């Protein structure tokens, strides 16, 4: 096959990929971004780019014939999921043996589907997780740079206290306070000025119309509107969509050669291409990057990759659960989809948990408080290449999920005891399931910083090969991860552009 050349190639257009693309473009380096998902900028027949959560269509999920929403049921009725036709939709759920992982697909990666919570971790926990990174420099330079580029803002506290759209949050705050627990506001990249106009009826509703996991049509500062728009603006960056990198090898002149499948919207491979580049940046996310490199090492296309590749993966301790409130503690038929508060019990060394107060917009009163608990689960798993099937497998076990559940249960047992309330047990499919222990929104690790790479994301064993995404984070962060992924990518790019690409 013919080989297309670029100076630098970036695989993936999520946070890690977007930061790399912008900083390379600004440095005058001709850069090609390869993204397996589509570009989400064209309205469908309903006049909207993304479909709604309540009536999902083919745009919702990545090549599925039925949606697989995190909340499978309500009163054990399968009300939530719908039949759809197969299409490169925006949300994927990647299934491993005992864990499934939600990821975004499209130009912007996870930023298209996530809750926008833009949280900077506790400095002490960051330093514990990244002992070789200068925390002062991160908190003085790279975190502020990431927050400002991402468009992080905070909800107006007075509006928060008065609006019906955050009553669900205030009800959960009260229940936490009754147990002596602290809550804290969390910033977001959703434009809260826009949200207030939605509430006032002067702007088209998005966060106030239930939109989030299948994309937001308004208000959300996803990466296509921030980093990637700026990257394209440099004139040096090109993005190819519906192109999936299948394998990577190195030519005798030291350049990297990528084999890439271009698919159409039915998923058929319509072309297999080869690209060659001098500098290769991997931003396929914890799963995408780790799978590529585990396969490259174990099939011998990049044989000098070390044993750090494929190791140190965790779920950020994610566990979802619901509580049933008393009849007088309503949560509201109207709920904004962007979370703005968390229960912060991370300082409790016996059982550290940070629980995001999550929305459950049903359009009617249901008295359910939903939470995504981030627990300090120390369990880690590895990826391995299965030569029979050619698949990369994840060795996560149910016992490892049970550690997260036990920690979440300890916290929420306290809240239930103080409020004389109970769990909801009808939300996650089977009749007795209280805790969703089989999926994560926060895949972290697989190519941990300082282990699979040097302290700046340079992959061990190979020069001019870099990782900039969530696979660098060692399995746990204590908070939602994208601000940290972005800040670490900024740090890597500053170093690499200063040291590795100088003529
Ligand atoms: P990311 O997954 O963003 O991007 C990787 C990109 O590479 C994708 O676009 C993918 O299609 C592409 N790709 C992968 N392999 C490829 C290949 N071989 N070839 C070509 N392209 C390839 N975090 C947070 O901080 N606050 C929050 O509120 C939330 N909420 C949330 C909700 C939901 C529903 C999800 C699924 C996730 C969140 N998250 C979150 C998590 C957050 O979105 C996540 O941590 C980041 O998107 C990870 O950024 P990365 O750059 O690592 O990869």
């Amino acid at each position: 096959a013919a080989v297309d050349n670029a100076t630098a190639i970036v695989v993936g257009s999520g946070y890690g990929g977007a930061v790399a693309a912008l900083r390379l473009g600004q440095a005058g380096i001709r850069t090609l971004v390869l993204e397996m998902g589509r570009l989400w900028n064209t309205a469908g027949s309903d006049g909207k780019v993304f479909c709604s959560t309540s009536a999902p269509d083919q745009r919702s999920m990545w090549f599925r014939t039925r949606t697989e929403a995190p909340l499978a049921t309500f009163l054990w009725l399968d009300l939530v999921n719908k039949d759809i036709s197969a299409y490169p939709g925006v949300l994927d759920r990647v299934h491993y043996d005992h864990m499934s992982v939600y990821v975004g697909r499209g130009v912007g990666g996870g930023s298209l589907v996530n809750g926008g919570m833009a949280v900077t971790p506790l400095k002490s926990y960051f330093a514990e997780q990244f002992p070789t990174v200068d925390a002062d420099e991160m908190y003085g330079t790279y975190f502020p740079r990431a927050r400002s580029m991402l468009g992080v803002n905070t909800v107006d506290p007075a509006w928060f206290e008065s609006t019906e759209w955050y009553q669900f949050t205030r009800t959960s705050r009260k229940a936490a306070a009754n147990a002596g627990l602290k809550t804290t506001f969390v910033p977001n990249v959703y434009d809260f000025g826009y949200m207030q106009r939605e509430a006032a009826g002067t702007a088209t509703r998005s966060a106030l119309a239930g939109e989030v996991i299948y994309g937001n049509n308004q208000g959300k500062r996803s990466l296509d509107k921030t980093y990637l728009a700026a990257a394209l603006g440099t004139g040096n960056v090109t993005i190819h969509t519906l192109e999936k990198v299948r394998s990577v090898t190195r030519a005798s002149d030291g350049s990297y050669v990528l084999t890439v499948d271009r698919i159409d919207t039915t998923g058929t491979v319509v072309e297999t291409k080869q690209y060659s580049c001098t500098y290769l940046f991997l931003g396929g996310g914890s799963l995408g990057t780790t799978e590529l490199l585990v396969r490259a090492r174990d099939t011998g296309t990049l044989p000098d990759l070390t044993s750090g590749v494929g190791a140190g993966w965790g779920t950020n301790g994610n566990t979802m659960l619901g509580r049933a409130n008393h009849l007088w503690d309503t949560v509201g038929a109207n709920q904004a989809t962007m979370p703005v508060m968390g229960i912060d019990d991370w300082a409790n060394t016996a059982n550290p948990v940070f629980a995001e107060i999550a929305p459950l917009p049903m359009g009617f009163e249901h008295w359910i408080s939903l939470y995504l608990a981030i627990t300090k689960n120390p369990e880690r798993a590895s990826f391995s290449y299965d030569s029979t099937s050619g698949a990369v497998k994840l060795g996560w076990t149910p016992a490892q999920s049970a550690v997260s559940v036990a920690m979440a249960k300890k916290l929420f047992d306290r809240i239930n005891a103080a409020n004389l309330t109970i769990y909801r047990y009808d939300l996650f499919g089977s009749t007795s399931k209280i805790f969703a222990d089989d999926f994560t929104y926060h895949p972290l690790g697989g190519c941990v910083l300082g282990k699979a790479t040097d302290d700046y994301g340079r992959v061990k064993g190979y020069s001019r090969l870099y990782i900039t995404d969530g696979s660098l984070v060692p399995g746990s962060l204590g908070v939602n991860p994208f601000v940290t992924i972005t800040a670490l990518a900024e740090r890597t790019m500053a170093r690499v552009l200063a040291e590795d690409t100088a003529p």
Side-chain angles (χ1 to χ4, degrees):
V3 174
D4 279 351
N5 294 305
T7 306
I9 288 181
V10 176
V11 179
S13 61
Y15 294 91
V19 173
L22 171 61
R23 301 307 175 198
L24 288 163
Q26 284 177 332
I29 296 170
R30 205 163 59 84
T31 301
L32 173 63
V33 179
L34 300 174
E35 167 58 53
M36 65 194 273
R38 56 163 279 200
L39 175 63
W40 292 94
N41 69 342
T42 320
S45 54
D46 59 356
K48 292 187 168 180
V49 173
F50 297 106
C51 66
S52 78
T53 327
S54 54
D57 60 28
Q58 61 174 13
R59 290 168 290 182
S60 61
M61 290 200 73
W62 182 255
F63 296 108
R64 288 298 194 291
T65 52
R66 190 165 175 79
T67 60
E68 296 179 27
L71 217 69
T73 62
F74 179 65
L75 294 172
W76 300 290
L77 298 172
D78 189 357
L79 295 175
V80 182
N81 287 311
K82 303 272 189 309
D83 289 335
I84 53 171
S85 51
Y87 182 81
V90 72
L91 182 67
D92 198 358
R93 182 172 182 164
V94 179
H95 292 273
Y96 296 102
D97 284 347
H98 301 290
M99 178 51 61
S100 65
V101 182
Y102 282 99
V103 293
R105 297 274 181 234
V107 175
S111 76
L112 299 168
V113 298
N114 68 31
M117 293 175 80
V119 196
T120 303
L122 209 60
K123 192 173 178 183
S124 56
Y125 193 56
F126 177 87
E128 193 179 315
Q129 292 298 80
F130 294 98
T132 62
V133 174
D134 180 345
D136 289 336
E137 190 187 27
M138 281 296 290
Y139 284 73
T141 303
Y142 300 115
F143 275 119
R145 184 175 297 172
R147 286 192 298 260
S148 113
M149 283 297 303
L150 291 167
V152 176
N153 68 159
T154 49
V155 69
D156 170 20
W159 185 70
F160 168 83
E161 295 299 344
S162 61
T163 181
E164 62 176 322
W165 297 96
Y166 281 111
Q167 190 184 328
F168 76 96
T169 306
R170 299 194 300 270
T171 295
S172 281
R173 177 180 62 184
K174 186 175 93 175
N178 287 342
L181 289 158
K182 185 175 87 183
T183 48
T184 172
F185 277 110
V186 292
N188 202 292
V189 294
Y190 197 89
D191 179 343
F192 284 110
Y194 186 86
M195 190 189 285
Q196 285 191 235
R197 293 196 292 282
E198 291 178 54
T202 56
T204 308
R205 283 182 176 171
S206 178
L208 304 193
E211 292 180 355
V212 57
I213 59 170
Y214 302 139
N216 278 94
N217 285 299
Q218 319 281 341
K220 167 96 82 75
R221 293 164 178 147
S222 47
L223 290 167
D224 50 324
K225 304 195 171 57
T226 59
Y227 272 100
L228 292 167
L232 292 173
T234 66
N236 293 316
V237 176
T238 310
I239 304 177
H240 286 187
T241 58
L242 298 175
E243 296 200 5
K244 180 174 182 177
V245 179
R246 203 205 306 159
S247 63
V248 185
T249 186
R250 202 171 202 193
S252 50
D253 66 353
S255 62
Y256 290 95
V257 180
L258 282 66
T259 303
V260 174
D261 288 333
R262 184 165 69 82
I263 59 168
D264 65 14
T265 56
T266 71
T268 305
V269 176
V270 288
E271 187 183 2
T272 296
K273 298 175 153 183
Q274 293 217 308
Y275 292 101
S276 149
C277 61
T278 307
Y279 301 95
L280 179 57
F281 291 83
L282 300 178
S286 168
L287 304 186
T289 291
T290 306
E291 287 200 23
L292 266 181
L293 290 186
V294 165
R295 185 173 285 118
R297 181 190 60 204
D298 295 355
T299 60
T301 63
L302 293 176
D304 295 338
L305 291 171
T306 61
S307 60
V309 167
W313 189 86
T315 62
N316 206 18
N318 274 195
T319 306
M320 196 176 259
L321 67 132
R323 285 179 45 254
N325 289 293
H326 296 292
L327 283 182
W328 55 88
D329 281 327
T330 53
V331 294
N334 288 328
Q335 304 191 11
T337 55
M338 296 295 139
V340 292
M341 192 168 272
I343 301 169
D344 187 0
D345 201 30
W346 199 258
N348 174 3
T349 49
N351 195 60
V353 179
F354 178 82
E356 144 192 346
I357 298 171
L360 183 52
M362 293 279 229
F364 51 85
E365 178 59 49
H366 53 61
W367 294 278
I368 301 171
S369 285
L370 190 71
Y371 304 89
L372 179 69
I374 297 174
T375 64
K376 192 177 175 180
N377 183 340
E379 295 290 327
R380 300 291 177 267
S382 294
F383 292 84
S384 59
Y385 178 69
D386 176 15
S387 58
T388 317
S389 63
V392 173
K393 301 198 161 174
L394 174 64
W396 186 265
T397 65
Q400 293 182 299
S401 290
V403 176
S404 303
V405 168
M407 296 183 79
K409 184 171 186 307
K410 249 190 201 166
L411 177 70
F412 285 95
D413 280 356
R414 268 173 75 188
I415 295 178
N416 278 335
N419 291 279
L420 302 174
T421 51
I422 57 167
Y423 293 105
R424 289 290 292 229
Y425 41 91
D426 57 338
L427 301 175
F428 302 114
S430 61
T431 47
S432 57
K433 209 169 174 65
I434 295 174
F435 297 94
D437 57 355
D438 54 352
F439 70 79
T440 181
Y441 285 169
H442 299 165
L444 295 175
C447 300
V448 172
L449 190 80
K451 303 230 163 75
T453 70
D454 77 350
D455 291 336
Y456 291 90
R458 298 174 175 110
V459 177
K460 286 183 182 170
Y462 290 89
S463 59
R464 302 195 294 278
L465 176 62
Y466 310 93
I467 297 174
T468 58
D469 59 30
S471 57
L472 296 171
V473 181
S476 165
L477 199 59
V479 294
N480 317 62
F482 74 62
V483 171
T484 303
I485 293 168
T486 305
L488 283 171
E490 288 283 16
R491 174 177 173 275
T492 285
M493 294 314 295
R495 173 64 61 125
V496 165
L497 288 168
E499 290 184 352
D500 297 16
T501 62

